[in-house]
Every structure is written in structure tokens, then in C-alpha cells.
């Protein structure tokens, strides 16, 4: 189990290999990221590309072959850089997955950078590209989210292993970027979720605290009135 805290990156990171890429952490299978931010452009050819972390999966193994033994906690983080990848692409995390029996959380986070999934079946999410068996709360996105099929202002796709931990998102706000025009063949997000299959299949309601709003409303404290226990996201830290 490792901890990354009070860290930041301001440089561009790009990989032509197929590994996971993130502004702070490429891949993690347990541990904590807290008080961290990225402002550099992030891109890669691997499956999972994220502004803060590319691959955060407590059930999988990282590029070193290490399997996670616990849960993942990500808090007080943000990204302002453009994030580009082929498949699972998120403003904060490309992929965020917990164990079906242990809670993993992403909280107090935001993204303002453009998120672009290049592949036709790619998942593009303003906060998380692909969410499974984990909880997301107190997050917002103002960056343009661009793709072809699964494009969500907050989540690209959401899935469930039918264990004791259900995926969830609460206290989440986003708005469309009116100044962004996608290139031909691509679209920008119009809905909070790129896919609602999980909600439809399991007859789960999307929480009322998941909101698409206007640019002006994003500037109003009343938009975030239901958020509790939040901290200001990181503004200082150690260079990564």
C-alpha cells in the first residue's frame, strides 16, 4: 500500500507505449492519492488515461505485476490539462474500480481540461472514464468531453460486479463548454453519463445531486449547497 500526497505535475506527459498514463500516477491497485494536481497535457496509447491517475483498479494488477490487496482512496485532487487516449479516458481517472467487497472512494475532485476518447467505442468522462464498484462524490467538471459513443459530462461508463459494493456517484455537477467545437466525426457530452445501462438494468435512479447546469450556475455557491464535508482541493504540493 502506497501514499502519494502534496504532489503536482505541470509538464506534458505523452506515451506511445500501451501502458497506463496519468498526470500524477500511471497505475495503482491500492493506496491513497491526496492533495495533488496536474496542469500538463496527458496522452497515451494505453487503455487507461487520466488527468491525475490513469488506472486505479483494486481488483487488478499494475504494470509491475502487483495485485492490489486493499482499497483505493483519492481525494482533494484536480486536473486542468487536456487528456487524450483511445479507450478509457477521464479528467481525473481513466479507470476507477474497487473490490466488490471493499469500499474505494474518489472525493473532492474536479476537472477543467478537455477529455478526448479517440476510439469509436471509447469511454470519455469529465471526471472518470470507466467507474466500477466504487464511490465518487463531491466532484465537478467544466472541461469539454469529446468522443464518438460513450461520452459523459461526469462518467463515460459505469458498471457493477453484483457484489456488496455498488458503484455510486453523488454531489456531482458539470456544464458544457460553449466554446469547444469537436472535429468531424466526434461529439461533445450532452448527458452526465455516457451510458445509463447500469441504472436501467438494475432499476437504479440517478441521484438528484447529479446535475448538469449552466456556466453561470457553476459560479454560485448555492449550486454546491448539498455538499458536506468537502475540503478545498490542492493548490500547493511537491513537484512530481
Amino acid at each position: 500500500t502506497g501514499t502519494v500526497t502534496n504532489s503536482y505535475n505541470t509538464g506534458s506527459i505523452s506515451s506511445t507505449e500501451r501502458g497506463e498514463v496519468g498526470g500524477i500516477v500511471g497505475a495503482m491497485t491500492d493506496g491513497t492519492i491526496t492533495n495533488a494536481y496536474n496542469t500538463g497535457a496527458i496522452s497515451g496509447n494505453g487503455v487507461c488515461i487520466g488527468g491525475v491517475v490513469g488506472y486505479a483498479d483494486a481488483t487488478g494488477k499494475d504494470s509491475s505485476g502487483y495485485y492490489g490487496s486493499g482499497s483505493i482512496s483519492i481525494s482533494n485532487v484536480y486536473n486542468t490539462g487536456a487528456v487524450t487516449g483511445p479507450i478509457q479516458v477521464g479528467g481525473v481517472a481513466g479507470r476507477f474500480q474497487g473490490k466488490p467487497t471493499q469500499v474505494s472512494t474518489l472525493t473532492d475532485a474536479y476537472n477543467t481540461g478537455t477529455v478526448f476518447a479517440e476510439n469509436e467505442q471509447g469511454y470519455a468522462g469529465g471526471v472518470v472514464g470507466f467507474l466500477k464498484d466504487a464511490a465518487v462524490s463531491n466532484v465537478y467538471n467544466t472541461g469539454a468531453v469529446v468522443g464518438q459513443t460513450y461520452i459523459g459530462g461526469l462518467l463515460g461508463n459505469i458498471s457493477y460486479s453484483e457484489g456488496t459494493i455498488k458503484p455510486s456517484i453523488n454531489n456531482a455537477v458539470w456544464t458544457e463548454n460553449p466554446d469547444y467545437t469537436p472535429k468531424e466525426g466526434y461529439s461533445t457530452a450532452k448527458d452526465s453519463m455516457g451510458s445509463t445501462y447500469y441504472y436501467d438494468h438494475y432499476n437504479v435512479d440517478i441521484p438528484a445531486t447529479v446535475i448538469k447546469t449552466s456556466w453561470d450556475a457553476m459560479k454560485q455557491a448555492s449550486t454546491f449547497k448539498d455538499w458536506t464535508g468537502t475540503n478545498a482541493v490542492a493548490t500547493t504540493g511537491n513537484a512530481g
Side-chain angles (χ1 to χ4, degrees):
T1 301
T3 298
V4 176
T5 187
N6 297 330
S7 296
Y8 67 89
N9 173 63
T10 60
S12 297
I13 299 175
S14 180
S15 174
T16 58
E17 303 298 324
R18 294 191 60 82
E20 297 80 19
V21 183
I24 300 298
V25 174
M28 62 188 300
T29 55
D30 57 20
T32 299
I33 301 175
T34 186
N35 297 336
Y37 68 88
N38 171 68
T39 62
I42 307 299
S43 63
N45 290 331
V47 172
C48 307
I49 312 296
V52 175
V53 56
Y55 172 91
D57 187 342
T59 70
K61 63 179 180 179
D62 62 20
S63 56
S64 300
Y66 175 75
Y67 281 93
S69 59
S71 61
I72 295 171
S73 174
I74 302 172
S75 63
N76 297 339
V77 299
Y78 71 84
N79 172 66
T80 64
V83 185
T84 303
I87 302 175
Q88 297 177 9
V89 190
V92 175
R95 180 186 185 95
F96 185 50
Q97 179 172 352
K99 292 180 181 293
T101 56
Q102 259 178 306
V103 177
S104 289
T105 58
L106 189 162
T107 187
D108 299 338
Y110 72 83
N111 171 67
T112 63
T114 298
V115 178
F116 180 33
E118 300 169 306
N119 284 15
E120 181 179 356
Q121 296 298 314
Y123 304 146
V127 177
V128 178
F130 180 72
L131 174 69
K132 187 173 183 178
D133 302 336
V136 174
S137 63
N138 300 340
V139 297
Y140 73 84
N141 171 56
T142 61
V145 184
V146 188
Q148 296 185 62
T149 306
Y150 302 104
I151 320 160
L154 295 168
L155 304 178
N157 201 357
I158 182 170
S159 187
Y160 176 41
S161 296
E162 301 191 15
T164 57
I165 304 299
K166 293 181 178 180
S168 65
I169 180 168
N170 289 282
N171 293 345
V173 181
W174 74 286
T175 190
E176 291 187 62
N177 186 328
D179 299 323
Y180 186 91
T181 301
K183 66 181 183 180
E184 184 177 356
Y186 292 87
S187 302
T188 55
K190 304 299 180 185
D191 299 303
S192 300
M193 316 292 176
S195 170
T196 60
Y197 174 81
Y198 163 74
Y199 295 97
D200 298 337
H201 183 74
Y202 293 101
N203 196 28
V204 176
D205 292 331
I206 296 176
T209 58
V210 174
I211 302 169
K212 178 183 179 181
T213 190
S214 67
W215 275 88
D216 287 342
M218 292 293 289
K219 303 173 185 178
Q220 305 299 319
S222 59
T223 301
F224 308 93
K225 63 182 176 58
D226 295 325
W227 295 26
T228 58
T230 58
N231 297 313
V233 294
T235 56
T236 60
N238 300 313

